[in-house]
């Protein structure tokens, strides 16, 4: 028996490599990770993956790129399936990169761990992001252990738990393979991809650690949100490979947006809204059976708060916001079935005024012991008037329309997921005021940053958030810098408002100014005093800073040619004179954009 093992023993990966063997007919020479990942499409996926993290390049190399390289060396040119999705040479690697990119996109719609305090979510944000990537990457790796029979040039059978291939090889699918066995086989290999330092780091987060181990054991039903993310990302990648619709496969669950809306309202009621103030500025009134919030106030402030947290997919039109709140069961419908109620507030002192309201159940906002005292006066409802939902609020400020050229984004993943791969083959970037639905995870806390720093032996390259200031040109630049550093503002993506062109930053106009205005609704009043559109007010203050490069003719605006896989178009915007105004580390130029001449 011992002699049998001795004859079939396979050299370990850390043993001396055999002398180079010229591949015979039908054999494939193994490639390095650098070579395998050098394909332009794979490089674009790697860039996209980096942009979904909150790490410096060096940190990214240790936590993401190193595991991806080890994965690439293991899966080589193997397909992901024999005759289904990604059934081409290298399909396993393509599928792995795609599902990581898709999973990180989906992860942005979740604050994890669910139900934890904002402080705990911030402390664990980067660990959950990395755990999502690892779970997605490794979910199918067991296939190379149980579905394939791999033979080396020397005639020995290769098993992946010995490490990467070092000789030319050939493979075939096992005819007796069990379809679901590869999920259970993942445990044979994940330590070949994730090193001890990464596993030590992840094991400190019990909820994440449990969910990750369940995914790696193929038990998605016990893995909670992490399991859902991997399943949906897998479906999206498969849909893309089979010519389907990955955007539909990746549609965010309805409860994700509902939770963000509720969390935003709870924050505003705790920190900003004033209740039960008759005769003075009040954002709403709380009675025994209902919370009445002034419709326009809640819409403007909720949108601004969510955008400031990196949560997009919130429509720029108030009527659409009301519909979203109603669709998610947060506001109670009026007798006519719409979201808007008309009611009169009367205080005990005789003060009275009519408003348009959103009506909520107090139990949605407060626990029983936290609920404030009810209003001493009365809130009396009136019959709804035709067109109330589109009418101005009765607080004396006219309801706003979307800025010119800004379309409402649906409450889900609005942009096609294929945009992650084809980059700029999407709707016009210049008119994308709220392009991506999904919430960036909170920025890592000091404790989380310290853990990552220890893991990769380098300090973070993040920038502290600017102090809250009055809208101005300087604050606009600070907002851009902080948004780029925190990945709240994605650059060089399909609907990005900031790109790198000609070695510097390119700001898409008017989209980038409109995006700033959405987080600062108070600009409406300032712009009205100057008889300007709100975004024009910001644009003029940016121009006064003198940070942009002018054309030889003296024009401020530069035109960029955008070339995608299936169409071309033009963007208009500002070139910064120096990229250091926004970037600590300048990314490569977007290969799909070039300055137009003439």
């Amino acid at each position: 028996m011992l002699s049998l093992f001795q004859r079939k023993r396979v050299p370990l990966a850390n043993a001396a490599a055999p002398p180079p063997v010229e591949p015979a007919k039908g054999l494939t020479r193994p490639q390095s990770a650098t070579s395998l990942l050098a394909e332009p499409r794979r490089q674009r996926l790697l860039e996209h993956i980096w942009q979904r993290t909150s790490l410096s390049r060096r940190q990214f190399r240790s936590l993401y790129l190193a595991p991806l390289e080890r994965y690439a060396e293991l899966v080589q040119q193997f397909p992901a399936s024999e005759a289904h999705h990604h059934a081409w040479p290298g399909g396993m690697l393509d599928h792995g990169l795609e599902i990581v990119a898709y999973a990180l996109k989906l992860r942005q719609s979740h604050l994890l761990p669910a139900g934890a305090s904002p402080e705990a979510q911030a402390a664990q944000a980067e660990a959950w992001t990395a755990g999502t990537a690892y779970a997605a990457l490794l979910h199918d790796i067991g296939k190379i252990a149980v579905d394939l029979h791999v033979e080396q040039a020397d005639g020995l059978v290769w098993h992946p738990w010995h490490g990467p291939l070092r000789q030319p090889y050939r493979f075939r699918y096992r005819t007796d393979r069990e379809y679901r066995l590869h999920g259970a086989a993942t445990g044979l290999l994940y330590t070949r991809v994730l090193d001890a330092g990464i596993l030590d780091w992840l094991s400190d987060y019990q909820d994440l650690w449990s969910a990750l181990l369940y995914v790696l054991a193929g038990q998605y039903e016990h893995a909670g949100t992490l399991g859902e993310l991997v399943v949906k990302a897998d479906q999206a990648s498969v849909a893309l490979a089979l010519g389907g619709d990955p955007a539909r496969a990746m549609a965010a669950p309805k409860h994700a947006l509902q939770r963000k809306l509720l969390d935003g309202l709870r924050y505003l009621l705790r920190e900003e809204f004033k209740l039960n103030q008759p005769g003075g500025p009040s954002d709403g009134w709380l009675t025994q059976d209902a919370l009445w919030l002034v419709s326009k106030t809640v819409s403007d402030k909720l949108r601004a708060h969510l955008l400031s947290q990196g949560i997009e997919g919130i429509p720029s039109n108030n009527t659409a916001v009301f519909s979203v709140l109603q669709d998610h069961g947060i506001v109670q419908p009026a007798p006519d079935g719409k979201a808007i109620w008309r009611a009169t507030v009367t205080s005990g002192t005789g003060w009275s005024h009519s408003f348009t309201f959103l009506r909520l159940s107090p139990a949605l906002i407060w626990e029983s012991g936290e609920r404030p005292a009810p209003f001493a006066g009365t809130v009396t409802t009136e019959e709804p008037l035709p067109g109330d939902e589109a009418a101005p609020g009765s607080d004396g400020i006219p309801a706003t329309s979307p800025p010119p050229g800004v379309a409402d984004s649906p409450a889900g993943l609005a942009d096609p997921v294929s945009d992650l791969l084809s980059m700029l083959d999407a709707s016009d970037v210049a008119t994308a005021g709220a392009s991506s639905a999904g919430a960036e995870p909170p920025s890592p806390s000091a404790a989380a940053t310290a853990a990552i720093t220890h893991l990769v032996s380098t300090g973070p390259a993040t920038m502290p958030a600017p102090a809250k200031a009055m809208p101005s040109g300087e604050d606009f630049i600070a907002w851009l810098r902080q948004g780029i550093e925190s990945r709240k503002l994605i650059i060089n993506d399909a609907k990005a408002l900031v790109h790198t062109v000609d070695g510097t930053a390119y700001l898409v106009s008017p989209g980038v100014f409109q995006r700033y205005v959405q987080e600062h609704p108070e600009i409406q009043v300032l712009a009205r005093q100057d008889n300007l559109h709100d975004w024009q007010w910001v644009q003029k203050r940016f121009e006064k800073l003198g940070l942009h490069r002018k054309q030889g003719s003296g024009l401020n605006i530069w035109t960029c040619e955008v070339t995608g896989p299936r169409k071309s178009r033009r963007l208009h915007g500002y070139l910064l004179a120096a990229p250091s105004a926004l970037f600590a580390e300048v990314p490569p130029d977007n290969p799909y954009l070039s300055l137009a001449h003439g």
Side-chain angles (χ1 to χ4, degrees):
M1 181 65 70
L2 180 60
S3 63
L4 290 176
F5 281 98
Q6 289 174 335
R7 282 201 304 270
K8 293 189 177 182
R9 184 170 296 149
V10 179
L12 295 178
N14 56 6
V21 179
E22 284 300 319
K25 186 175 182 181
L27 294 176
T28 302
R29 183 187 295 280
Q31 299 180 46
S32 68
T34 301
S35 175
L36 290 164
L37 294 172
E39 291 185 10
R41 182 177 181 276
R42 292 171 181 170
Q43 284 293 306
R44 287 163 56 201
L45 280 165
L46 288 173
E47 182 68 16
H48 178 84
I49 291 167
W50 173 67
Q51 289 186 356
R52 298 295 174 190
T53 72
S54 300
L55 302 176
S56 69
R57 288 285 188 180
R58 186 176 178 188
Q59 292 170 328
F60 178 77
R61 170 166 288 280
S62 295
L63 291 184
Y64 289 83
L65 188 56
L68 287 166
E69 288 175 338
R70 291 191 285 265
Y71 176 85
E73 287 198 331
L74 273 179
V75 303
Q76 288 289 325
Q77 294 285 11
F78 300 137
S81 65
E82 184 175 15
H84 187 42
H85 69 93
H86 298 82
W88 57 77
M92 178 75 81
L93 179 53
D94 290 331
H95 181 47
L97 293 173
E98 287 173 11
I99 190 175
V100 170
Y102 293 150
L104 293 184
K105 174 72 173 178
L106 283 171
R107 186 263 183 273
Q108 292 180 297
S109 298
H110 296 266
L111 297 175
L112 298 171
S117 67
E119 294 79 12
Q121 290 171 340
Q124 301 183 41
E126 200 57 56
W128 276 91
T129 300
T132 300
Y134 302 148
L137 180 68
L138 296 169
H139 83 292
D140 266 353
I141 198 171
K143 288 183 176 181
I144 67 174
V146 296
D147 287 2
L148 299 176
H149 176 89
V150 184
E151 186 177 306
Q152 300 178 129
D154 61 6
L156 294 179
V157 173
W158 172 78
H159 295 293
W161 47 83
H162 290 297
L165 280 153
R166 302 303 182 194
Q167 298 182 42
Y169 63 94
R170 63 168 59 91
F171 71 91
R172 59 175 172 82
Y173 275 87
R174 299 180 182 273
T175 57
D176 60 345
R177 66 185 183 275
E178 294 184 35
Y179 174 70
R180 296 189 180 277
L181 188 59
H182 70 267
T186 300
L188 295 170
L189 301 177
Y190 67 78
T191 55
R192 280 283 170 187
V193 175
L194 304 180
D195 60 33
I198 287 175
L199 294 175
D200 289 347
W201 175 50
L202 296 177
S203 67
D204 287 338
Y205 304 96
Q206 187 55 48
D207 291 341
L208 169 60
W209 186 240
S210 301
L212 178 61
L213 291 179
Y214 277 127
V215 170
L216 297 181
Q219 299 183 37
Y220 295 90
E221 67 276 13
H222 300 302
T225 301
L226 189 67
E228 294 175 11
L229 294 176
V230 174
V231 169
K232 285 184 174 293
D234 185 37
Q235 292 170 345
S237 177
V238 170
L240 181 70
L242 299 179
D245 183 358
R248 181 170 297 177
M250 277 185 61
K254 184 176 180 179
H255 70 268
L257 182 59
Q258 181 186 47
R259 185 171 62 251
K260 297 183 187 72
L261 293 167
L262 271 175
D263 287 346
L265 285 171
R266 288 166 181 159
Y267 170 83
L268 291 171
L269 282 158
R270 184 175 67 250
E271 302 292 339
E272 294 190 22
F273 284 175
K274 295 180 179 179
L275 296 180
N276 300 344
Q277 298 191 40
S282 188
D283 298 302
W285 285 265
L286 174 64
T287 62
Q288 289 287 356
D289 60 349
L291 172 63
W292 302 88
L293 296 177
V294 178
S295 58
K296 185 180 185 304
T297 298
V298 68
S299 179
D300 286 348
K301 291 188 177 181
L302 179 60
R303 182 192 300 109
H305 170 70
L306 294 177
L307 287 172
S308 72
Q309 300 301 305
I311 301 171
E312 300 192 12
I314 307 302
S316 58
N317 179 276
N318 283 348
T319 303
V321 173
F322 303 152
S323 297
V324 169
L325 291 168
Q326 186 175 0
D327 289 346
H328 286 75
I330 295 173
V331 302
Q332 300 173 353
D336 62 354
K338 297 181 179 179
I340 292 294
W341 295 70
R342 183 174 290 276
T344 299
V345 180
T346 304
S347 73
T349 61
W351 176 87
S352 181
H353 196 79
S354 294
F355 297 88
T356 55
F357 286 110
L358 299 177
R359 174 175 170 157
L360 292 79
S361 168
L364 277 177
I365 305 299
W366 297 286
E367 299 291 339
S368 57
E370 300 174 346
R371 185 169 167 177
F375 177 50
T378 61
V379 178
T380 307
T381 59
E382 305 172 11
E383 287 297 319
L385 300 176
D388 262 356
E389 285 202 80
S394 56
D395 50 5
I397 303 176
T400 57
S401 299
V406 180
D408 293 336
S409 298
L413 289 173
D415 55 324
V417 179
S418 57
D419 287 351
L420 308 185
L421 307 175
S422 58
M423 294 294 287
L424 289 161
D425 185 34
S427 59
D428 197 333
V429 181
T431 61
S435 60
S436 173
E440 285 287 340
S443 298
S445 67
T449 299
I452 296 170
T453 301
H454 173 73
L455 205 60
V456 300
S457 300
T458 183
T462 56
M463 177 184 301
K468 190 170 183 179
M470 285 294 292
S472 64
E474 291 81 2
D475 186 62
F476 170 73
I477 292 297
W479 169 82
L480 273 179
R481 288 174 63 92
Q482 194 276 334
I484 291 168
E485 284 287 344
S486 65
R487 304 293 182 267
K488 204 171 71 178
L489 294 175
I490 300 301
I491 63 172
N492 292 335
D493 204 350
K495 297 181 180 179
L497 300 175
V498 180
H499 299 271
T500 42
V501 178
D502 200 31
T504 190
Y506 182 77
L507 310 183
V508 176
S509 181
V512 70
F513 303 111
Q514 293 167 339
R515 177 67 170 77
Y516 176 75
V517 166
Q518 286 187 303
E519 291 191 29
H520 299 78
E522 64 272 24
I523 293 175
Q524 295 176 17
V525 177
L526 300 172
R528 194 177 298 125
Q529 294 171 356
D530 292 346
N531 199 27
L532 294 170
H533 287 293
D534 44 16
W535 64 267
Q536 289 177 325
W537 187 93
V538 182
Q539 183 185 53
K540 285 186 176 296
R541 276 144 188 82
F542 162 74
E543 288 183 351
K544 289 181 179 179
L545 298 177
L547 297 177
H548 60 291
R549 185 194 307 174
K550 293 190 176 185
Q551 295 194 46
S553 61
L555 293 177
N556 292 314
I557 298 295
W558 295 75
T559 299
C560 269
E561 299 281 357
V562 184
T563 305
R566 293 184 289 275
K567 61 182 178 181
S568 299
R569 63 186 178 281
R570 290 189 165 202
L571 295 180
H572 304 283
Y574 292 84
L575 273 180
L576 294 192
S580 57
L582 292 187
F583 301 122
E585 182 179 354
V586 185
D589 284 355
N590 188 329
Y592 294 89
L593 266 67
S594 58
L595 290 178
H597 299 285

